[in-house]
Amino acid sequence: MNFWDYSVWGFFNLVTVLLFALIIANILKKHIKFLQASLIPTSVIAGLGILIISTIYKAVTGNHMFDVRAFNYVGTTSLEIITFHCLAFGFIAMTFSSKKKKLSKKRAAEIFNTGVTTVSSYLLQGILGMIITIIAAKFIAGLISGAGILLPFGYGQGTGQALNFGSIFENDHGFSGGKNFGLSVAALGFLSASIGGVIHLNIMKAKGKIKILSKADAVSETADIDNTNESSEMKTKKTINGGLEDLTIQISTIFITYMIAYFLIAFLGNLLPGFKSVLYGFNFLIGVLIASLIKLLLNAMKKGNIVDEDYINPVQMDKLGSFFFDLMIVAGIAAIQLDLLKDYWVTLLVMGILGLLITYFYNRFVAKILFPDYAEEQFLVMYGMLTGTASTGVILLREIDKDFVTPAADNLVYQNFPAIVFGFPMMLLGALAPVEPIKTLIILAIFFVVMNIILFRRQIFLRKK
């Protein structure tokens, strides 16, 4: 190996382009009023900017911009790898950053309901997506009937999962352009979150139905997100044994956790070779489980006086999680090759528009019924998350609750556990969809009914009494 070889510089050049795009997008968003008003996340602006440039480059030269010598001829593959791993890194960091709080019975019920709402929305998106692609596949060559399940993975779970299952569909089930289809669904989700969120905010403000909340409006039960409390960083920031910097320890913990997750995935993949693709698609979920176990172990060691230092800094972990998700989003959008989607645009647009509408109205209905004390805040944070990411939901929420006066932001953070528990079967249905699309659609519908019985249990059973 020579240090002047492109194999040495290719990946570094690629990551630098992504980070540079994020900085440029951030500058543009601060100075262009249209972008400020749009609420489009900076990472999405960066990704779309790269996508426009790469599309023009392809039209002029006939080659994909990232598959050139400067990127060691494998730039597109590297973008997909970054997207795949950053999904897991982000979720691992989120797991370490979260703190348990003592919750009242009412707050525990609201968090549980938020998690069930998340899964119900996944299911509803899945039902809609499957109906669309089962019909469309009869007329469009190359499109598989089960591709509709990518709607909840792209809208509800974001770029990483859309790529994971799109890759499985493309490699294992012959879905031509499956990866790009999944990434495009995720990109449409971000646009749905931003455009739909802005339209809703403007309509509600014009009608005088929402007001801007600040800490002066806070009551006894106030949501206080850890990453907004700068003093907590000062309290927990330590240098272990007088040597390693705090940030170094956080990054090391994330990477060690992910390596353990990899060995577990590899072991299970060899044990169950028929499920290897699905297991590797669950990289983020297994990473979360390992992170939870490590977190419990460190807490037990601290209580037992085996260690006397706080190795986990929740504030730093939260910032690292945001970094990984930003990198994942810009890489995922940049990896889209529009020329491979020429036969699917009508299907994508129909899925995108109807996905926006069904997510909007369902979550609006749930928020009004189950969260009457802060229905607007709960709706915005859920709609943003279920079309984009958690950060998109927080961006929308800040427009009317900039200091997190209501519990909506806390609901978003703590709903992950019930959402993972109830949502795990959804992952398995993702593997079933390309094989048995009709059966998958029926299961999704039954599962959706069950989830809504659980969600509206008080309204259903108390009314009967």
Side-chain angles (χ1 to χ4, degrees), residues 357-399:
L357 294 174
I358 203 165
T359 306
Y360 178 94
F361 287 111
Y362 178 72
N363 279 274
R364 193 104 174 93
F365 173 75
V366 172
K368 285 182 177 181
I369 300 297
L370 298 181
F371 304 89
D373 296 335
Y374 51 99
E376 285 296 338
E377 292 79 8
Q378 179 71 11
F379 163 72
L380 282 172
V381 79
M382 292 300 291
Y383 172 76
M385 180 188 71
L386 288 164
T387 48
T389 63
S391 61
T392 316
V394 172
I395 288 170
L396 291 175
L397 176 64
R398 280 184 179 277
E399 290 296 306

Side-chain angles (χ1 to χ4, degrees), residues 116-347:
V116 176
T117 303
T118 298
V119 178
S120 294
S121 299
Y122 291 166
L123 294 165
L124 190 57
Q125 290 169 344
I127 292 168
L128 173 66
M130 291 294 293
I131 291 173
I132 292 170
T133 55
I134 286 172
I135 295 172
K138 297 181 182 297
F139 305 98
I140 301 174
L143 181 68
I144 63 173
S145 299
I149 201 73
L150 291 172
L151 181 59
F153 291 132
Y155 270 45
Q157 298 189 11
T159 311
Q161 274 300 86
L163 173 65
N164 284 354
F165 278 90
S167 298
I168 293 171
F169 291 0
E170 183 171 323
N171 297 330
D172 296 351
H173 302 287
F175 180 19
S176 177
K179 288 182 286 190
N180 283 276
F181 191 94
L183 292 173
S184 298
V185 171
L188 288 172
F190 285 113
L191 294 176
S192 297
S194 305
I195 296 170
V198 170
I199 292 173
H200 174 80
L201 282 168
N202 288 332
I203 292 174
M204 291 297 105
K205 285 178 182 177
K207 292 182 177 180
K209 292 188 176 182
I210 59 177
K211 65 176 183 175
I212 308 300
L213 297 177
S214 64
K215 285 184 178 177
D217 303 307
V219 290
S220 58
E221 201 166 28
T222 302
D224 187 18
I225 302 300
D226 294 320
N227 62 4
T228 65
N229 186 359
E230 292 298 326
S231 62
S232 66
E233 182 173 9
M234 299 302 295
K235 291 176 183 177
T236 59
K237 185 173 178 61
K238 297 180 180 180
T239 301
I240 307 300
N241 296 326
L244 288 177
E245 179 63 35
D246 188 54
L247 183 60
T248 305
I249 293 167
Q250 311 312 305
I251 295 174
S252 301
T253 304
I254 292 171
F255 273 72
I256 291 168
T257 301
Y258 195 40
M259 184 183 70
I260 296 171
Y262 165 72
F263 285 130
L264 178 58
I265 294 170
F267 170 75
L268 293 173
N270 291 329
L271 195 66
L272 303 165
F275 291 92
K276 182 172 283 190
S277 295
V278 177
L279 287 168
Y280 277 92
F282 288 170
N283 64 323
F284 78 100
L285 182 57
I286 295 176
V288 166
L289 295 175
I290 299 297
S292 300
L293 293 174
I294 291 175
K295 192 174 180 181
L296 288 173
L297 177 62
L298 289 174
N299 289 337
M301 292 172 69
K302 180 75 183 297
K303 289 180 180 179
N305 295 320
I306 298 173
V307 297
D308 57 357
E309 302 283 358
D310 289 323
Y311 282 87
I312 303 300
N313 183 328
V315 177
Q316 294 277 20
M317 284 293 187
D318 187 79
K319 291 178 178 178
L320 285 169
S322 297
F323 167 74
F324 287 125
F325 284 133
D326 282 340
L327 193 58
M328 176 193 75
I329 292 166
V330 66
I333 296 176
I336 297 172
Q337 297 178 14
L338 296 179
D339 57 298
L340 299 179
L341 297 170
K342 60 183 183 297
D343 296 328
Y344 305 143
W345 273 115
V346 174
T347 304

Side-chain angles (χ1 to χ4, degrees), residues 3-49:
F3 289 119
W4 54 82
D5 290 342
Y6 284 101
S7 60
V8 176
W9 291 90
F11 190 79
F12 173 82
N13 290 339
L14 183 66
V15 173
T16 303
V17 168
L18 298 179
L19 297 177
F20 182 67
L22 284 169
I23 292 173
I24 295 297
N26 190 56
I27 294 171
L28 292 174
K29 182 155 188 178
K30 285 185 176 181
H31 292 88
I32 299 176
K33 289 185 178 180
F34 166 74
L35 293 177
Q36 291 175 350
S38 71
L39 302 182
I40 300 175
T42 302
S43 54
V44 176
I45 297 172
L48 290 174

